[in-house]
Amino acid sequence: MNSNDNPIDSRSDKEVLASKIQLLLDIVHAKDADSFTYEDVRQGLAEQGLTLTRTRWHRLLAGSPDNRWDPELLKALAYFFDVDENYLLQRSGPIPERVEAELRLIEAYRIAEVEHFAARVLGEVNIDALRAVTEALRNLPPRPEKKRRPTE
């Protein structure tokens, strides 16, 4: 990763990498209700001949500046998560199609859950209000990426 790839994003390469790994974990958690544990990841990498210590894993997830950049580890993680290795190896690597599709599906599920809740609560009160809430939810703009304060 080259820290000059995106001058607007003030995060370090390791912080960007941590965000990408967290996203992959979040997708698994949202889809299957159980996130991968450290032990799951450790075993998956061990099957590829790599050792991952608990400390190294936590440093990766935290975007720790003292974490050594290891392309072989990142390739193994990409294989484990079933994504293109460039997603983890390049700061501005494209979001894999599968990840993008999973995100859209998760968002649709969440909107459907909110709509269902609104239908239960508002359906008894006012059908026009229910329609307005449903329409508003479907027309929400994409969420902006969280920006970190310079002190973080």
Side-chain angles (χ1 to χ4, degrees):
M1 277 192 206
N2 182 347
S3 59
N4 295 326
D5 286 351
N6 188 352
I8 296 170
D9 190 345
S10 63
R11 297 178 299 169
S12 72
D13 289 344
K14 292 174 183 171
E15 290 170 322
V16 170
L17 175 62
S19 294
K20 289 179 176 188
I21 293 171
Q22 283 293 345
L23 176 62
L24 293 172
L25 290 170
D26 289 346
I27 287 173
V28 169
H29 179 70
K31 183 178 174 190
D32 299 330
D34 280 331
S35 286
F36 285 124
T37 64
Y38 157 73
E39 191 57 30
D40 295 330
V41 177
R42 187 199 65 74
Q43 286 179 357
L45 295 186
E47 290 171 6
Q48 298 178 60
L50 290 170
T51 302
L52 179 67
T53 65
R54 187 175 299 275
T55 301
R56 183 79 188 273
W57 179 239
H58 287 290
R59 285 181 178 165
L60 268 173
L61 293 178
S64 177
D66 60 342
N67 203 17
R68 180 175 61 85
W69 184 257
D70 184 350
E72 292 307 311
L73 174 62
L74 298 182
K75 288 177 185 177
L77 283 170
Y79 180 81
F80 176 79
F81 284 108
D82 192 26
V83 296
D84 185 316
E85 63 188 41
N86 289 324
Y87 175 63
L88 296 179
L89 289 170
Q90 298 174 2
R91 180 183 181 97
S92 59
I95 294 177
E97 228 176 275
R98 184 181 67 80
V99 172
E100 186 74 37
E102 293 285 352
L103 288 173
R104 278 190 248 119
L105 181 63
I106 290 165
E107 186 172 17
Y109 280 143
R110 289 182 178 157
I111 288 172
E113 288 174 6
V114 172
E115 287 176 346
H116 184 259
F117 174 77
R120 287 194 327 256
V121 173
L122 299 176
E124 300 170 9
V125 179
N126 182 331
I127 193 70
D128 291 330
L130 174 60
R131 286 185 185 128
V133 168
T134 300
E135 187 64 25
L137 288 170
R138 288 189 176 142
N139 292 320
L140 284 175
R143 285 180 276 185
E145 287 189 33
K146 292 181 183 177
K147 300 215 181 203
R148 291 181 169 231
R149 289 177 272 158
T151 57
E152 289 184 335

